[in-house]
Each structure stands twice: as C-alpha cells, then as structure tokens.
Amino acid sequence: MATQIVIDDPDDDRVDDFRDLKRADRRPDRPGGKGLVIAEGTIVVRRLLASPYPVRALLGVGRRIEELRDDLADVACPAYVASADVMATVVGFHLNRGVLAVADRVPRLSVTELAASARTIAVLEGVGDHENIGALFRNAAALDVDGVVLGAGCSDPLYRRSVRVSMGHVLRVPFATAEEWPKALTTLRDNGFRVAALTPRWNAVSLHEVQPTEGERIAVLLGAEGDGLTDAAIEAADVAVRIPMADGVDSLNVATAGAIAFYELAHRVS
Amino acid sequence: MATQIVIDDPDDDRVDDFRDLKRADRRPDRPGGKGLVIAEGTIVVRRLLASPYPVRALLGVGRRIEELRDDLADVACPAYVASADVMATVVGFHLNRGVLAVADRVPRLSVTELAASARTIAVLEGVGDHENIGALFRNAAALDVDGVVLGAGCSDPLYRRSVRVSMGHVLRVPFATAEEWPKALTTLRDNGFRVAALTPRWNAVSLHEVQPTEGERIAVLLGAEGDGLTDAAIEAADVAVRIPMADGVDSLNVATAGAIAFYELAHRVS
C-alpha cells in the first residue's frame, strides 16, 4: 500500500517532482527537462499505475487519493496528500483534476521488437502537434491498434499534454521510435506488414476497397495534415490509400483520419 | 469590389463589429451578444464569403486583404485595412491569422426543410462543447453528410471557436435546431430517414454490419461523450449501433465517433 504523507508546506522538497510543471515539462526529453512521465486525474493516474512505467509518487487532494485506494493497494511509492491551494502552489497552476502521478521512463522498444507482437500498427511521420499525438494514441487504443511507430518529425508522446489528451492510452499502447526513416517501413515490410499510406492523392485506392485479408498484418502510415506524407514515405509503402472526401474539403484532422483507417483496417473486434 | 478603407485609430467606430471579441462573443446568441458570425483567417473568411451569411465587413492586415482580392471582387462590404497592432487593440488580443470577417445570421431551417434535400444527416444531442461541435461539422462536410440537426442541449455552432475549429464548414453545412426533442427524430423518420443511434451499449448492432441500402436516407444520432444519448433518444431511433471497441477503452471523442459513422453510413463518394 502506498504510504500517505500529508504535505502542508509547498516548499517541501519531497514534492519536487511535481514542481512548476508548466516550465519543467516544456521539453521533458531535453537537457534540463526531468524526463518524467506525468499523469493528471484519476482515470489517467489509474492507467499509469497499471502501466510498465515505474511510478515515483502521487500528489493529490484527500478525496482523489481516497478514490484511488484500491489501485494503490500494491504500490510502494508515496502518496502525498495536500490541499488544493498547496498543490496549486507546487505545480504552478490550479489543477482541476485534483491528482497527479509521476513515473520514470522505460527503455523504448525498437521497431523490430514492436513488430514482433503486433498485428496492426500505426506509423506516424511529421506529427509534431502534442494534441494530435495524444488523440492518435486514444484512437489506436480504442480501435485495436497494437502499437505505434514514430517516424521522422514526431513529438514526444510522453509529453504531459499528450498523455492527458490520450486519456492515458499513450501509457498502454506500446510505441517505438524509428532510428532510420523511412527505412523503418522496410523493416515493417520485412516483418510481414503491408504498409498502407494514407494520402489525399486522387490516384490512391479508396479506403473502402482495401480490406485486410484473414490474419494479414497492416501498418497504417499517417502524415501531418497540411504537409502530408513525404514522397519518400509514400514510395516506401505498399499501397497508397485515400479516404473518399467530398468536393471542396481539403483534409481531415490526422487523428480523425487515423481513426477511420484503424476502424477499417485494424483486425476487427466484434 | 469591396472598398478598402485604412483604419489608423483603434477607436474608430466603423470597426465596432470587431471590438473586444473575447467578451462580445462569449454568448453571441444571448441578450448583450451581438449575434454576429465571425470568421478568422483567409480559409475561413473565404468560406464565409461563399456562404449564405451576409458579410458586413472585413478587417485585416494589408497582406491578408490582398490575398482575398479575387474573393472580394463581387462583394459590396467594406474591407478595413489596419496594422497588426491596431487590429490587436480593436479585437482585444493578438490575432495570428491576420484577417477577420463578420456577417449577420440568417433564419434557421426547420428540421422538415433540412430533411427535404438531404440524404445523410447528423443529429446531435447534448453536444455542448464548442470544439466538438466545430469538429463534427468539419467531419460532416468531409464525409458527405448533407446537414446537421441540433437536438436538446447543443451549443451554438456559429460561436467563434466552433467556426474556427470547423475550418468554416459550419458555414457550408446546413443545420436546423430541433424545436421538439426527441420528436424531431420522428419527423426525420416520417421523412424517410432511418435513424441510427450511436451508443457503446453492448447489445447494439456493430457498425460494420449496418450498411445503407441503395438510395436509403440515414440519420446518424450522436450524443456527448460521457453521458451519451438519453434513453428517450435511443428509443426514438430505428436502430442502436456501436463502434466495436477494444477492451478497457471507454469511448471515443464524439467528433471522432461521428467521423467513423459518417464514413461508414453516408452516401459513399468514390
């Protein structure tokens, strides 16, 4: 059971992991950033507790820590209990959700490791927007995508805002960062994946006409809206696929396009 | 051709329509609100100019007004040109997009009027979030939905943030506000629509198994995530449909769920 420790003094150094989050978390993966994984709110904290990320501590108002009692039964880390005001002073802003948890990162998977156990993979190129990354993970989790490969130009899925927008699903869906791009697509093909690149190009195949065959492994390749996928990425794919769109509409949000493709191409759950 | 008028003085009353937007636009449809439709950025301003909403005026930096020259050829309203600083003072915040347009509202369609010309309709219940409303209209426009019915508890799609998130598609996709709810669903059925209610209920039919027959008219009924549709709304529908979801995932964002349903159920464009 996590030990509950009351924090009255916002300067208490035991809660330093939670301090001044807006600044400390700006680039968590860069020098000066702490590199911690931060979960906000009971739902996301629960997903962090159930994830492979080693939880260092929780900080919450009494009522929220109480709600998490069952989830904390087998957890050894401290659970700091503070008033909403003390929390706000530590964190640097008022926190509606009333509870936070921090965890360390874990070594990332390679693309080959990720491919070994997955049937459906989402592959992202140039998705720099933290909310889009978060939404993509949420949609991947809901629609039976087993893993995500981050290609060139993607932002960190463990950034605080991405964790929140994903509803904590970045902590559940395994991901790998491509070391070489777009060579990672060849790695996926070598591992038996059909790589389907989503693009608005008129000569791409309509998504309605692409059906995974029984047991087929599919990688759905998605680029940022606006620029879209690079030519090199599309050429490294097996097939270019488009979502049929009405005249006069340029594009869908990348996470929404991803959701439609996952719905159509992921191994179907009934 | 719109007349270009240079504005040097932020207090000039000719730009009062654009003044203090954050406050004036908080509830545009309520007493004290001006009830104007506001478009931001060249893409959305273009959609407003091409819409049925009568444009009152534009306000922009010179470069943006110049970009819109062709779109303004047949427009009689004034185009106020100002520096970025003067614009910021008028509007009350710095505007990255550099151009705004305001228009008057037009009389709303009734559900019967909307139904007369549509094949696929999205029907919303309890969707109060402005960004979700905007995203739903964007997805509806992209995926060939011909109109939107706003049921009980929906917010105003012409709110500034909804217009922006929709990329201006709230100005293109016609919508009607249901006077009686859920009776509007009966009206749709009387007009030949099959009403498909999207719900995570386990005993609903999988979306993969629902296919519109040739020429069939479909109304996709969507509720806010969290609470979901009311029982009364589900009972007034013809069929309850669910998007198959992986274990441990509660829901999709309502606009994302809508996109998947529109993709599957709207009259197919190729």
Side-chain angles (χ1 to χ4, degrees), chain A residues 153-185:
Chain A
C154 292
S155 65
D156 175 17
L158 295 178
Y159 175 82
R160 184 166 58 90
R161 186 143 46 103
S162 301
V163 175
R164 186 177 66 225
V165 172
S166 82
M167 309 278 283
H169 290 299
V170 297
L171 309 170
R172 294 178 78 226
V173 179
F175 61 90
T177 303
E179 298 292 332
E180 293 178 278
W181 187 258
K183 207 183 153 196
L185 298 174

PDB file of all heavy atoms in Angstrom, chain A residues 153-185:
ATOM      1  N   GLY A 153      10.205  13.460 -37.358  1.00  0.00           N
ATOM      2  CA  GLY A 153       9.449  14.681 -37.107  1.00  0.00           C
ATOM      3  C   GLY A 153       8.271  14.547 -36.155  1.00  0.00           C
ATOM      4  O   GLY A 153       7.403  15.409 -36.137  1.00  0.00           O
ATOM      5  N   CYS A 154       8.225  13.480 -35.390  1.00  0.00           N
ATOM      6  CA  CYS A 154       7.116  13.336 -34.434  1.00  0.00           C
ATOM      7  C   CYS A 154       7.534  13.858 -33.063  1.00  0.00           C
ATOM      8  O   CYS A 154       8.690  13.745 -32.671  1.00  0.00           O
ATOM      9  CB  CYS A 154       6.692  11.875 -34.313  1.00  0.00           C
ATOM     10  SG  CYS A 154       5.915  11.256 -35.811  1.00  0.00           S
ATOM     11  N   SER A 155       6.571  14.380 -32.335  1.00  0.00           N
ATOM     12  CA  SER A 155       6.894  14.862 -30.999  1.00  0.00           C
ATOM     13  C   SER A 155       6.756  13.716 -30.003  1.00  0.00           C
ATOM     14  O   SER A 155       6.282  12.630 -30.323  1.00  0.00           O
ATOM     15  CB  SER A 155       6.008  16.043 -30.630  1.00  0.00           C
ATOM     16  OG  SER A 155       4.680  15.607 -30.560  1.00  0.00           O
ATOM     17  N   ASP A 156       7.181  14.026 -28.791  1.00  0.00           N
ATOM     18  CA  ASP A 156       7.251  13.036 -27.714  1.00  0.00           C
ATOM     19  C   ASP A 156       5.849  12.680 -27.203  1.00  0.00           C
ATOM     20  O   ASP A 156       5.159  13.532 -26.664  1.00  0.00           O
ATOM     21  CB  ASP A 156       8.065  13.675 -26.588  1.00  0.00           C
ATOM     22  CG  ASP A 156       8.148  12.832 -25.337  1.00  0.00           C
ATOM     23  OD1 ASP A 156       7.868  11.620 -25.425  1.00  0.00           O
ATOM     24  OD2 ASP A 156       8.479  13.384 -24.273  1.00  0.00           O
ATOM     25  N   PRO A 157       5.430  11.428 -27.327  1.00  0.00           N
ATOM     26  CA  PRO A 157       4.080  11.070 -26.846  1.00  0.00           C
ATOM     27  C   PRO A 157       3.948  11.133 -25.332  1.00  0.00           C
ATOM     28  O   PRO A 157       2.826  11.150 -24.823  1.00  0.00           O
ATOM     29  CB  PRO A 157       3.898   9.615 -27.303  1.00  0.00           C
ATOM     30  CG  PRO A 157       5.025   9.302 -28.207  1.00  0.00           C
ATOM     31  CD  PRO A 157       6.125  10.277 -27.920  1.00  0.00           C
ATOM     32  N   LEU A 158       5.073  11.190 -24.627  1.00  0.00           N
ATOM     33  CA  LEU A 158       5.000  11.202 -23.169  1.00  0.00           C
ATOM     34  C   LEU A 158       4.997  12.615 -22.604  1.00  0.00           C
ATOM     35  O   LEU A 158       5.055  12.814 -21.384  1.00  0.00           O
ATOM     36  CB  LEU A 158       6.141  10.378 -22.567  1.00  0.00           C
ATOM     37  CG  LEU A 158       6.057   8.886 -22.897  1.00  0.00           C
ATOM     38  CD1 LEU A 158       7.257   8.152 -22.311  1.00  0.00           C
ATOM     39  CD2 LEU A 158       4.762   8.273 -22.374  1.00  0.00           C
ATOM     40  N   TYR A 159       4.917  13.593 -23.479  1.00  0.00           N
ATOM     41  CA  TYR A 159       4.726  14.967 -23.039  1.00  0.00           C
ATOM     42  C   TYR A 159       3.386  15.055 -22.303  1.00  0.00           C
ATOM     43  O   TYR A 159       2.416  14.387 -22.683  1.00  0.00           O
ATOM     44  CB  TYR A 159       4.744  15.869 -24.274  1.00  0.00           C
ATOM     45  CG  TYR A 159       4.451  17.311 -24.018  1.00  0.00           C
ATOM     46  CD1 TYR A 159       5.449  18.177 -23.555  1.00  0.00           C
ATOM     47  CD2 TYR A 159       3.181  17.834 -24.240  1.00  0.00           C
ATOM     48  CE1 TYR A 159       5.171  19.510 -23.310  1.00  0.00           C
ATOM     49  CE2 TYR A 159       2.899  19.167 -24.005  1.00  0.00           C
ATOM     50  CZ  TYR A 159       3.896  20.014 -23.534  1.00  0.00           C
ATOM     51  OH  TYR A 159       3.620  21.322 -23.312  1.00  0.00           O
ATOM     52  N   ARG A 160       3.342  15.890 -21.261  1.00  0.00           N
ATOM     53  CA  ARG A 160       2.180  15.916 -20.374  1.00  0.00           C
ATOM     54  C   ARG A 160       0.848  16.091 -21.102  1.00  0.00           C
ATOM     55  O   ARG A 160      -0.126  15.400 -20.842  1.00  0.00           O
ATOM     56  CB  ARG A 160       2.370  17.027 -19.326  1.00  0.00           C
ATOM     57  CG  ARG A 160       1.293  17.105 -18.275  1.00  0.00           C
ATOM     58  CD  ARG A 160       1.733  17.980 -17.088  1.00  0.00           C
ATOM     59  NE  ARG A 160       2.085  19.325 -17.512  1.00  0.00           N
ATOM     60  CZ  ARG A 160       1.202  20.343 -17.575  1.00  0.00           C
ATOM     61  NH1 ARG A 160      -0.052  20.156 -17.231  1.00  0.00           N
ATOM     62  NH2 ARG A 160       1.598  21.530 -17.962  1.00  0.00           N
ATOM     63  N   ARG A 161       0.820  17.011 -22.053  1.00  0.00           N
ATOM     64  CA  ARG A 161      -0.446  17.280 -22.728  1.00  0.00           C
ATOM     65  C   ARG A 161      -0.886  16.089 -23.586  1.00  0.00           C
ATOM     66  O   ARG A 161      -2.072  15.794 -23.696  1.00  0.00           O
ATOM     67  CB  ARG A 161      -0.331  18.553 -23.586  1.00  0.00           C
ATOM     68  CG  ARG A 161      -1.636  18.976 -24.204  1.00  0.00           C
ATOM     69  CD  ARG A 161      -1.802  20.497 -24.240  1.00  0.00           C
ATOM     70  NE  ARG A 161      -0.605  21.160 -24.725  1.00  0.00           N
ATOM     71  CZ  ARG A 161      -0.465  21.656 -25.956  1.00  0.00           C
ATOM     72  NH1 ARG A 161      -1.448  21.573 -26.813  1.00  0.00           N
ATOM     73  NH2 ARG A 161       0.650  22.239 -26.329  1.00  0.00           N
ATOM     74  N   SER A 162       0.094  15.405 -24.198  1.00  0.00           N
ATOM     75  CA  SER A 162      -0.253  14.226 -24.999  1.00  0.00           C
ATOM     76  C   SER A 162      -0.813  13.121 -24.113  1.00  0.00           C
ATOM     77  O   SER A 162      -1.777  12.442 -24.485  1.00  0.00           O
ATOM     78  CB  SER A 162       0.982  13.690 -25.735  1.00  0.00           C
ATOM     79  OG  SER A 162       1.516  14.678 -26.577  1.00  0.00           O
ATOM     80  N   VAL A 163      -0.203  12.941 -22.955  1.00  0.00           N
ATOM     81  CA  VAL A 163      -0.695  11.929 -22.018  1.00  0.00           C
ATOM     82  C   VAL A 163      -2.155  12.219 -21.671  1.00  0.00           C
ATOM     83  O   VAL A 163      -3.016  11.335 -21.691  1.00  0.00           O
ATOM     84  CB  VAL A 163       0.176  11.882 -20.737  1.00  0.00           C
ATOM     85  CG1 VAL A 163      -0.425  10.919 -19.709  1.00  0.00           C
ATOM     86  CG2 VAL A 163       1.611  11.497 -21.062  1.00  0.00           C
ATOM     87  N   ARG A 164      -2.446  13.511 -21.394  1.00  0.00           N
ATOM     88  CA  ARG A 164      -3.799  13.897 -20.981  1.00  0.00           C
ATOM     89  C   ARG A 164      -4.804  13.710 -22.115  1.00  0.00           C
ATOM     90  O   ARG A 164      -5.859  13.098 -21.926  1.00  0.00           O
ATOM     91  CB  ARG A 164      -3.789  15.349 -20.507  1.00  0.00           C
ATOM     92  CG  ARG A 164      -5.109  15.791 -19.938  1.00  0.00           C
ATOM     93  CD  ARG A 164      -5.040  17.211 -19.401  1.00  0.00           C
ATOM     94  NE  ARG A 164      -4.813  18.165 -20.476  1.00  0.00           N
ATOM     95  CZ  ARG A 164      -3.947  19.179 -20.451  1.00  0.00           C
ATOM     96  NH1 ARG A 164      -3.192  19.375 -19.391  1.00  0.00           N
ATOM     97  NH2 ARG A 164      -3.822  19.987 -21.472  1.00  0.00           N
ATOM     98  N   VAL A 165      -4.461  14.219 -23.310  1.00  0.00           N
ATOM     99  CA  VAL A 165      -5.396  14.121 -24.441  1.00  0.00           C
ATOM    100  C   VAL A 165      -5.635  12.654 -24.810  1.00  0.00           C
ATOM    101  O   VAL A 165      -6.723  12.283 -25.237  1.00  0.00           O
ATOM    102  CB  VAL A 165      -4.879  14.925 -25.655  1.00  0.00           C
ATOM    103  CG1 VAL A 165      -5.721  14.679 -26.889  1.00  0.00           C
ATOM    104  CG2 VAL A 165      -4.847  16.417 -25.330  1.00  0.00           C
ATOM    105  N   SER A 166      -4.623  11.829 -24.625  1.00  0.00           N
ATOM    106  CA  SER A 166      -4.774  10.404 -24.960  1.00  0.00           C
ATOM    107  C   SER A 166      -5.614   9.676 -23.928  1.00  0.00           C
ATOM    108  O   SER A 166      -5.871   8.478 -24.095  1.00  0.00           O
ATOM    109  CB  SER A 166      -3.402   9.730 -25.045  1.00  0.00           C
ATOM    110  OG  SER A 166      -2.929   9.368 -23.755  1.00  0.00           O
ATOM    111  N   MET A 167      -6.041  10.350 -22.856  1.00  0.00           N
ATOM    112  CA  MET A 167      -6.733   9.727 -21.727  1.00  0.00           C
ATOM    113  C   MET A 167      -5.855   8.633 -21.106  1.00  0.00           C
ATOM    114  O   MET A 167      -6.366   7.645 -20.576  1.00  0.00           O
ATOM    115  CB  MET A 167      -8.070   9.120 -22.152  1.00  0.00           C
ATOM    116  CG  MET A 167      -8.966  10.045 -22.919  1.00  0.00           C
ATOM    117  SD  MET A 167      -9.894  11.151 -21.854  1.00  0.00           S
ATOM    118  CE  MET A 167     -11.159  10.030 -21.258  1.00  0.00           C
ATOM    119  N   GLY A 168      -4.554   8.816 -21.203  1.00  0.00           N
ATOM    120  CA  GLY A 168      -3.622   7.851 -20.627  1.00  0.00           C
ATOM    121  C   GLY A 168      -3.280   6.681 -21.530  1.00  0.00           C
ATOM    122  O   GLY A 168      -2.482   5.809 -21.155  1.00  0.00           O
ATOM    123  N   HIS A 169      -3.831   6.660 -22.731  1.00  0.00           N
ATOM    124  CA  HIS A 169      -3.586   5.498 -23.584  1.00  0.00           C
ATOM    125  C   HIS A 169      -2.169   5.467 -24.167  1.00  0.00           C
ATOM    126  O   HIS A 169      -1.729   4.420 -24.625  1.00  0.00           O
ATOM    127  CB  HIS A 169      -4.649   5.399 -24.673  1.00  0.00           C
ATOM    128  CG  HIS A 169      -5.990   5.016 -24.138  1.00  0.00           C
ATOM    129  ND1 HIS A 169      -6.203   3.815 -23.480  1.00  0.00           N
ATOM    130  CD2 HIS A 169      -7.171   5.671 -24.102  1.00  0.00           C
ATOM    131  CE1 HIS A 169      -7.464   3.753 -23.095  1.00  0.00           C
ATOM    132  NE2 HIS A 169      -8.073   4.871 -23.453  1.00  0.00           N
ATOM    133  N   VAL A 170      -1.432   6.588 -24.153  1.00  0.00           N
ATOM    134  CA  VAL A 170      -0.007   6.505 -24.525  1.00  0.00           C
ATOM    135  C   VAL A 170       0.746   5.623 -23.543  1.00  0.00           C
ATOM    136  O   VAL A 170       1.847   5.164 -23.846  1.00  0.00           O
ATOM    137  CB  VAL A 170       0.707   7.885 -24.590  1.00  0.00           C
ATOM    138  CG1 VAL A 170       0.118   8.775 -25.665  1.00  0.00           C
ATOM    139  CG2 VAL A 170       0.711   8.590 -23.252  1.00  0.00           C
ATOM    140  N   LEU A 171       0.155   5.411 -22.372  1.00  0.00           N
ATOM    141  CA  LEU A 171       0.811   4.563 -21.368  1.00  0.00           C
ATOM    142  C   LEU A 171       0.471   3.089 -21.561  1.00  0.00           C
ATOM    143  O   LEU A 171       1.073   2.219 -20.950  1.00  0.00           O
ATOM    144  CB  LEU A 171       0.381   5.025 -19.970  1.00  0.00           C
ATOM    145  CG  LEU A 171       0.543   6.531 -19.708  1.00  0.00           C
ATOM    146  CD1 LEU A 171      -0.129   6.933 -18.415  1.00  0.00           C
ATOM    147  CD2 LEU A 171       2.029   6.909 -19.689  1.00  0.00           C
ATOM    148  N   ARG A 172      -0.487   2.820 -22.424  1.00  0.00           N
ATOM    149  CA  ARG A 172      -0.936   1.438 -22.643  1.00  0.00           C
ATOM    150  C   ARG A 172      -0.517   0.895 -23.997  1.00  0.00           C
ATOM    151  O   ARG A 172      -0.254  -0.294 -24.134  1.00  0.00           O
ATOM    152  CB  ARG A 172      -2.466   1.355 -22.593  1.00  0.00           C
ATOM    153  CG  ARG A 172      -3.082   1.651 -21.268  1.00  0.00           C
ATOM    154  CD  ARG A 172      -4.595   1.579 -21.382  1.00  0.00           C
ATOM    155  NE  ARG A 172      -5.103   0.222 -21.392  1.00  0.00           N
ATOM    156  CZ  ARG A 172      -6.011  -0.241 -22.221  1.00  0.00           C
ATOM    157  NH1 ARG A 172      -6.515   0.535 -23.165  1.00  0.00           N
ATOM    158  NH2 ARG A 172      -6.439  -1.482 -22.139  1.00  0.00           N
ATOM    159  N   VAL A 173      -0.534   1.749 -25.004  1.00  0.00           N
ATOM    160  CA  VAL A 173      -0.220   1.294 -26.354  1.00  0.00           C
ATOM    161  C   VAL A 173       1.295   1.383 -26.546  1.00  0.00           C
ATOM    162  O   VAL A 173       1.861   2.473 -26.449  1.00  0.00           O
ATOM    163  CB  VAL A 173      -0.929   2.172 -27.408  1.00  0.00           C
ATOM    164  CG1 VAL A 173      -0.587   1.714 -28.812  1.00  0.00           C
ATOM    165  CG2 VAL A 173      -2.447   2.167 -27.191  1.00  0.00           C
ATOM    166  N   PRO A 174       1.975   0.264 -26.792  1.00  0.00           N
ATOM    167  CA  PRO A 174       3.431   0.333 -26.930  1.00  0.00           C
ATOM    168  C   PRO A 174       3.841   1.127 -28.175  1.00  0.00           C
ATOM    169  O   PRO A 174       3.140   1.122 -29.174  1.00  0.00           O
ATOM    170  CB  PRO A 174       3.852  -1.132 -27.060  1.00  0.00           C
ATOM    171  CG  PRO A 174       2.626  -1.908 -27.336  1.00  0.00           C
ATOM    172  CD  PRO A 174       1.443  -1.088 -26.925  1.00  0.00           C
ATOM    173  N   PHE A 175       4.972   1.820 -28.074  1.00  0.00           N
ATOM    174  CA  PHE A 175       5.443   2.553 -29.240  1.00  0.00           C
ATOM    175  C   PHE A 175       6.952   2.437 -29.385  1.00  0.00           C
ATOM    176  O   PHE A 175       7.656   2.114 -28.433  1.00  0.00           O
ATOM    177  CB  PHE A 175       5.002   4.020 -29.198  1.00  0.00           C
ATOM    178  CG  PHE A 175       5.505   4.814 -28.023  1.00  0.00           C
ATOM    179  CD1 PHE A 175       6.707   5.497 -28.094  1.00  0.00           C
ATOM    180  CD2 PHE A 175       4.765   4.884 -26.852  1.00  0.00           C
ATOM    181  CE1 PHE A 175       7.164   6.239 -27.020  1.00  0.00           C
ATOM    182  CE2 PHE A 175       5.223   5.620 -25.768  1.00  0.00           C
ATOM    183  CZ  PHE A 175       6.428   6.293 -25.848  1.00  0.00           C
ATOM    184  N   ALA A 176       7.422   2.655 -30.609  1.00  0.00           N
ATOM    185  CA  ALA A 176       8.847   2.597 -30.918  1.00  0.00           C
ATOM    186  C   ALA A 176       9.201   3.833 -31.728  1.00  0.00           C
ATOM    187  O   ALA A 176       8.382   4.351 -32.472  1.00  0.00           O
ATOM    188  CB  ALA A 176       9.161   1.342 -31.725  1.00  0.00           C
ATOM    189  N   THR A 177      10.436   4.308 -31.565  1.00  0.00           N
ATOM    190  CA  THR A 177      10.901   5.430 -32.380  1.00  0.00           C
ATOM    191  C   THR A 177      11.775   4.866 -33.495  1.00  0.00           C
ATOM    192  O   THR A 177      12.692   4.092 -33.235  1.00  0.00           O
ATOM    193  CB  THR A 177      11.708   6.418 -31.512  1.00  0.00           C
ATOM    194  OG1 THR A 177      10.877   6.837 -30.430  1.00  0.00           O
ATOM    195  CG2 THR A 177      12.130   7.627 -32.324  1.00  0.00           C
ATOM    196  N   ALA A 178      11.455   5.246 -34.724  1.00  0.00           N
ATOM    197  CA  ALA A 178      12.229   4.756 -35.862  1.00  0.00           C
ATOM    198  C   ALA A 178      13.624   5.370 -35.832  1.00  0.00           C
ATOM    199  O   ALA A 178      13.753   6.588 -35.761  1.00  0.00           O
ATOM    200  CB  ALA A 178      11.524   5.131 -37.169  1.00  0.00           C
ATOM    201  N   GLU A 179      14.655   4.532 -35.849  1.00  0.00           N
ATOM    202  CA  GLU A 179      16.025   5.056 -35.857  1.00  0.00           C
ATOM    203  C   GLU A 179      16.364   5.589 -37.244  1.00  0.00           C
ATOM    204  O   GLU A 179      17.031   6.602 -37.391  1.00  0.00           O
ATOM    205  CB  GLU A 179      17.026   3.954 -35.467  1.00  0.00           C
ATOM    206  CG  GLU A 179      16.837   3.397 -34.061  1.00  0.00           C
ATOM    207  CD  GLU A 179      17.171   4.425 -32.976  1.00  0.00           C
ATOM    208  OE1 GLU A 179      18.005   5.309 -33.242  1.00  0.00           O
ATOM    209  OE2 GLU A 179      16.567   4.343 -31.879  1.00  0.00           O
ATOM    210  N   GLU A 180      15.895   4.884 -38.272  1.00  0.00           N
ATOM    211  CA  GLU A 180      16.173   5.324 -39.640  1.00  0.00           C
ATOM    212  C   GLU A 180      14.852   5.489 -40.360  1.00  0.00           C
ATOM    213  O   GLU A 180      13.967   4.645 -40.252  1.00  0.00           O
ATOM    214  CB  GLU A 180      17.030   4.290 -40.365  1.00  0.00           C
ATOM    215  CG  GLU A 180      18.419   4.178 -39.781  1.00  0.00           C
ATOM    216  CD  GLU A 180      19.233   3.094 -40.501  1.00  0.00           C
ATOM    217  OE1 GLU A 180      19.062   1.904 -40.142  1.00  0.00           O
ATOM    218  OE2 GLU A 180      19.963   3.437 -41.438  1.00  0.00           O
ATOM    219  N   TRP A 181      14.746   6.572 -41.101  1.00  0.00           N
ATOM    220  CA  TRP A 181      13.491   6.914 -41.754  1.00  0.00           C
ATOM    221  C   TRP A 181      13.715   7.285 -43.217  1.00  0.00           C
ATOM    222  O   TRP A 181      14.633   8.044 -43.482  1.00  0.00           O
ATOM    223  CB  TRP A 181      12.823   8.079 -41.018  1.00  0.00           C
ATOM    224  CG  TRP A 181      11.457   8.356 -41.551  1.00  0.00           C
ATOM    225  CD1 TRP A 181      11.089   9.363 -42.403  1.00  0.00           C
ATOM    226  CD2 TRP A 181      10.276   7.582 -41.302  1.00  0.00           C
ATOM    227  NE1 TRP A 181       9.749   9.270 -42.680  1.00  0.00           N
ATOM    228  CE2 TRP A 181       9.239   8.194 -42.022  1.00  0.00           C
ATOM    229  CE3 TRP A 181      10.020   6.428 -40.543  1.00  0.00           C
ATOM    230  CZ2 TRP A 181       7.936   7.681 -42.018  1.00  0.00           C
ATOM    231  CZ3 TRP A 181       8.747   5.942 -40.539  1.00  0.00           C
ATOM    232  CH2 TRP A 181       7.712   6.563 -41.266  1.00  0.00           C
ATOM    233  N   PRO A 182      12.959   6.761 -44.159  1.00  0.00           N
ATOM    234  CA  PRO A 182      11.799   5.865 -43.981  1.00  0.00           C
ATOM    235  C   PRO A 182      12.152   4.379 -43.952  1.00  0.00           C
ATOM    236  O   PRO A 182      11.291   3.530 -44.180  1.00  0.00           O
ATOM    237  CB  PRO A 182      10.944   6.182 -45.206  1.00  0.00           C
ATOM    238  CG  PRO A 182      11.918   6.573 -46.271  1.00  0.00           C
ATOM    239  CD  PRO A 182      13.093   7.201 -45.576  1.00  0.00           C
ATOM    240  N   LYS A 183      13.439   4.065 -43.628  1.00  0.00           N
ATOM    241  CA  LYS A 183      13.848   2.662 -43.659  1.00  0.00           C
ATOM    242  C   LYS A 183      13.026   1.786 -42.706  1.00  0.00           C
ATOM    243  O   LYS A 183      12.878   0.576 -42.923  1.00  0.00           O
ATOM    244  CB  LYS A 183      15.342   2.546 -43.323  1.00  0.00           C
ATOM    245  CG  LYS A 183      15.990   1.311 -43.936  1.00  0.00           C
ATOM    246  CD  LYS A 183      17.447   1.171 -43.526  1.00  0.00           C
ATOM    247  CE  LYS A 183      17.829  -0.304 -43.561  1.00  0.00           C
ATOM    248  NZ  LYS A 183      19.080  -0.545 -42.818  1.00  0.00           N
ATOM    249  N   ALA A 184      12.500   2.396 -41.661  1.00  0.00           N
ATOM    250  CA  ALA A 184      11.671   1.630 -40.707  1.00  0.00           C
ATOM    251  C   ALA A 184      10.499   0.964 -41.418  1.00  0.00           C
ATOM    252  O   ALA A 184      10.019  -0.099 -40.991  1.00  0.00           O
ATOM    253  CB  ALA A 184      11.173   2.543 -39.590  1.00  0.00           C
ATOM    254  N   LEU A 185      10.034   1.578 -42.516  1.00  0.00           N
ATOM    255  CA  LEU A 185       8.917   0.988 -43.260  1.00  0.00           C
ATOM    256  C   LEU A 185       9.349  -0.323 -43.916  1.00  0.00           C
ATOM    257  O   LEU A 185       8.570  -1.279 -43.986  1.00  0.00           O
ATOM    258  CB  LEU A 185       8.397   1.981 -44.294  1.00  0.00           C
ATOM    259  CG  LEU A 185       7.843   3.293 -43.706  1.00  0.00           C
ATOM    260  CD1 LEU A 185       7.479   4.276 -44.808  1.00  0.00           C
ATOM    261  CD2 LEU A 185       6.643   3.014 -42.807  1.00  0.00           C
TER     262      LEU A 185
END
